[in-house]
Amino acid sequence: MTALIELRGARAKLGGREVLTGVDMRLERGEIVTIVGPNGSGKSTLMRVIIGAVPLQGGSLTKAPGLRIGYVPQKLQIDPTLPLSVRRFLSLPARVSDGAAAEALDHVGGAGLEGRQMADLSGGQFQRVLLARALLRRPDLLILDEATQGLDQPGSARFYRLIEQLRQELGCAVLMVSHELHVVMAASDRVLCLNGHVCCEGAPEHVASAPEYRALFGSGTQGALALYRHQHDHDHGAGCDHDHDHDPAHHHQEGHTDA
Amino acid sequence: MLDDFLVRAALAGLGVGLAAAPLGCLVVWRRMAYFGDATAHAAILGVALSLAFDMSIFTGVLVVALSMALLVSTLSGRGYAMDTLLGVMAHSAIAFGLVAVSFVSGVRIDLMAYLFGDILAVGKSDLLVIWGGAALVLGLLCWRWQALLTATLNPDLARASGIDPERERLVLTLALALVVAVAIKVVGTLLIAAMLLIPAAAARPFARTPEAMALVAAVFGAVSALGGLQASLWFDTPTGPSVVCLAAVIFLGASLVDVLRRAAQGGGSQAK
Ligand SMILES: Nc1ncnc2c1ncn2[C@@H]1O[C@H](COP(=O)(O)OP(=O)(O)OP(=O)(O)O)[C@@H](O)[C@H]1O
Ligand SMILES: [Mg+2]
């Protein structure tokens, strides 16, 4: 079976700067792959290369013939002068029946939103509607660029369960970008750590303990990441150099209570 | 019936109003207001060229408006700030146009007629051009509507669905140039942008879908055209500006209704 997507040495420039400097990756059918990486590391650019919005400067991108992509962008600014109901939005660019629209909304936990204006939705509802629209194309590949932004924690946990469930029902592959490292790791088959190029990839546990990954996320990420590592320390008992990361966080908290 | 100059004027205004409305909506949604201006101002240069080379005004204006629109489209992808670029283009185009007109010797040109239009002088062949152009623009927009709308919403969403946003922008540019070329006789270059924008802006508060907004804008455009013509007869005012004045009054009324409605809603929810 051929890969859905294969990138070899893909290079891309934005605003005169080389953002992707040789990305190699392969995505198989039905796989859930997560891209992690610091801000500005080219994650969104990579997604845009795959949908064909950013031209390659070098290397190659091969897509399976007839590949249908459902795309949820990181940002979608709807101009306030554009009146757009949820129902109408779901019918872009291909018109869908009322039944199909209702079913897609129901699927993502957004039943009954049809009549609302896109501009009036809450952040979480908006993300759900974006996902519903992406599903309506019956995609072979779902591309989600930080799709859980604006969702509360239970909401994003539900979201990842939904992704898993959708993969089973629709058999689609999922390529997603996320900063919620602890949740993402649990939800994906494979993790790619990106910083202009793929610095490391593999099963979540493997990536989390890779030195390249540590180099990128090792310091200054006391929050969710420390929590994640904490849990994993107990599971695997691997690596003692984490205490380093915890210390500044504690100092920080003490500083706050003193003040 | 077409022998009556008033009937011809009414039909001409109606044609322009109907074609400009949905196009104007796209222009508003894409924040291209100045794009319409720039294209329209370039039309004066088109008038000068058509007189110099003995072409029909329609052809000259179409060619210049189209080149201008394409030039702006291309340059805007090269990192220039769009508003600056359009300002430069719009004003220099009209200046070059006026200078060029002064070079065309032998022909006395009624410049006012091109700046403000001369709807009462519309002839049968003009009507044919206007309605032909309007039908072409409406057909083009209907055909590309879904793709245009998706590309307007977000170019990346369009790409992911296999729509080329650049091509859609080209379609829009073409339609814009066409409307400018057919409308120059009716409202003139200074007011074409107004006919694009004002009915669309006035329609916004009354619409919940893009199509509804285009329809309401078309109604407002038609009412402005016919009402403005009538008003110019009653008050003996210049017709093109009267049409735009009426559109502006409608916009004001629509905004008022919107403000009042919002206030009523706000009050309602506070009372709960
Ligand atoms: N339209 C653009 N023009 C010029 N440079 C851009 C453009 N979009 C992104 N960049 C630059 O490309 C780099 C990669 O951006 P990208 O959006 O891919 O990062 P990211 O990994 O998605 O970051 P984040 O986690 O903040 O979403 C950044 O340095 C950014 O400044
Ligand atoms: Mg991003």
Side-chain angles (χ1 to χ4, degrees):
Chain A
M1 191 127 113
T2 56
L4 276 185
I5 280 186
E6 182 156 16
L7 280 159
R8 280 177 195 274
R11 311 158 75 81
K13 268 188 183 168
L14 278 178
R17 225 170 51 83
E18 188 143 83
V19 176
L20 298 180
T21 57
V23 174
D24 294 288
M25 70 171 277
R26 229 180 118 86
L27 195 73
E28 308 290 341
R29 263 170 216 283
E31 220 183 357
I32 299 187
V33 173
T34 300
I35 313 271
V36 298
N39 290 132
S41 57
K43 303 180 299 292
S44 299
T45 309
L46 179 59
M47 304 297 118
R48 296 179 63 217
V49 161
I50 292 174
I51 62 169
V54 174
L56 281 184
Q57 302 287 322
S60 67
L61 162 66
T62 322
K63 298 185 191 180
L67 176 73
R68 275 197 309 272
I69 295 179
Y71 175 58
V72 174
Q74 182 173 2
K75 294 187 292 237
L76 180 61
Q77 180 87 46
I78 296 186
D79 197 280
T81 59
L82 176 63
L84 194 62
S85 63
V86 169
R87 177 66 187 85
R88 185 65 186 88
F89 176 71
L90 294 178
S91 272
L92 283 177
R95 295 195 184 270
V96 296
S97 69
D98 283 345
E103 192 192 317
L105 278 175
D106 198 35
H107 229 125
V108 299
L113 287 177
E114 282 98 335
R116 303 277 292 276
Q117 286 286 294
M118 290 297 286
D120 296 344
L121 297 180
S122 77
Q125 289 171 329
F126 194 86
Q127 291 299 329
R128 282 159 201 273
V129 172
L130 284 185
L131 182 63
R133 178 186 167 277
L135 292 179
L136 277 167
R137 297 201 79 210
R138 300 267 137 207
D140 309 303
L141 169 61
L142 260 181
I143 295 188
L144 311 173
D145 197 345
E146 300 192 28
T148 54
Q149 52 182 317
L151 297 191
D152 51 19
Q153 247 179 27
S156 82
R158 268 202 303 276
F159 196 88
Y160 287 112
R161 277 203 298 279
L162 172 67
I163 299 294
E164 171 74 50
Q165 181 196 337
L166 285 175
R167 168 186 45 184
Q168 269 160 17
E169 286 172 20
L170 308 176
C172 59
V174 181
L175 180 63
M176 56 186 175
V177 172
S178 178
H179 287 296
E180 295 172 301
L181 303 170
H182 54 302
V183 194
V184 156
M185 297 261 173
S188 11
D189 300 327
R190 207 146 57 85
V191 175
L192 253 79
C193 179
L194 190 75
N195 194 18
H197 60 283
V198 178
C199 0
C200 54
E201 67 169 300
E205 312 79 45
H206 168 74
V207 169
S209 59
E212 295 90 345
Y213 177 83
R214 295 282 177 78
L216 279 179
F217 291 101
S219 58
T221 50
Q222 289 93 0
L225 193 56
L227 180 72
Y228 165 72
R229 284 187 182 166
H230 205 80
Q231 292 166 343
H232 271 251
D233 282 349
H234 291 293
D235 291 343
H236 304 290
C240 336
D241 52 330
H242 298 159
D243 296 332
H244 242 42
D245 293 332
H246 287 274
D247 280 335
H250 284 299
H251 286 311
H252 214 68
Q253 280 176 346
E254 280 160 24
H256 271 293
T257 38
D258 285 348
Chain B
M1 186 182 88
L2 290 180
D3 291 334
D4 186 345
F5 75 100
L6 272 181
V7 173
R8 288 198 303 268
L11 284 177
L14 212 57
V16 169
L18 287 181
L23 194 57
C25 288
L26 282 164
V27 167
V28 166
W29 297 332
R30 298 172 78 112
R31 309 244 143 180
M32 284 169 50
Y34 290 111
F35 198 93
D37 266 345
T39 318
H41 289 181
I44 283 293
L45 192 57
V47 170
L49 290 182
S50 33
L51 292 172
F53 295 103
D54 207 19
M55 295 181 284
S56 79
I57 301 277
F58 174 76
T59 317
V61 169
L62 186 62
V63 167
V64 171
L66 202 57
S67 344
M68 173 81 159
L70 286 178
L71 190 62
V72 173
S73 274
T74 318
L75 285 181
S76 73
R78 298 273 182 279
Y80 289 92
M82 192 64 169
D83 58 342
T84 313
L85 194 64
L86 286 174
V88 171
M89 302 289 270
H91 299 121
S92 42
I94 201 165
F96 276 108
L98 293 176
V99 169
V101 166
S102 75
F103 277 123
V104 182
S105 54
V107 204
R108 217 191 74 72
I109 307 168
D110 181 9
L111 204 53
M112 286 293 279
Y114 296 111
L115 287 177
F116 293 107
D118 192 0
I119 193 174
L120 298 180
V122 164
K124 280 182 193 167
S125 60
D126 294 325
L127 258 191
L128 203 67
V129 167
I130 290 171
W131 275 90
L136 207 61
V137 166
L138 287 176
L140 199 62
L141 290 184
C142 280
W143 174 44
R144 305 301 313 167
W145 188 249
Q146 288 282 89
L148 271 168
L149 214 52
T150 312
T152 299
L153 190 63
N154 183 285
D156 285 356
L157 273 191
R159 283 273 183 212
S161 324
I163 295 164
D164 181 356
E166 297 297 319
R167 191 185 54 203
E168 301 313 318
R169 191 169 63 183
L170 210 63
V171 167
L172 189 61
T173 306
L174 184 69
L176 212 54
L178 255 171
V179 160
V180 167
V182 301
I184 188 167
K185 190 131 196 184
V186 177
V187 281
T189 56
L190 284 184
L191 301 176
I192 291 170
M195 275 315 273
L196 283 169
L197 299 183
I198 301 179
R204 173 61 186 97
F206 304 107
R208 293 182 60 79
T209 60
E211 291 75 20
M213 180 158 153
L215 267 177
V216 176
V219 171
F220 285 168
V223 169
S224 310
L226 297 182
L229 181 63
Q230 183 62 256
S232 78
L233 291 179
W234 281 338
F235 304 116
D236 193 21
T237 47
T239 313
S242 306
V243 169
V244 175
C245 284
L246 184 58
V249 168
I250 292 177
F251 171 76
L252 201 67
S255 308
L256 266 178
V257 168
D258 188 38
V259 167
L260 290 178
R261 202 167 50 184
R262 273 169 204 267
Q265 275 170 2
S269 59
Q270 265 168 9
K272 269 178 211 163

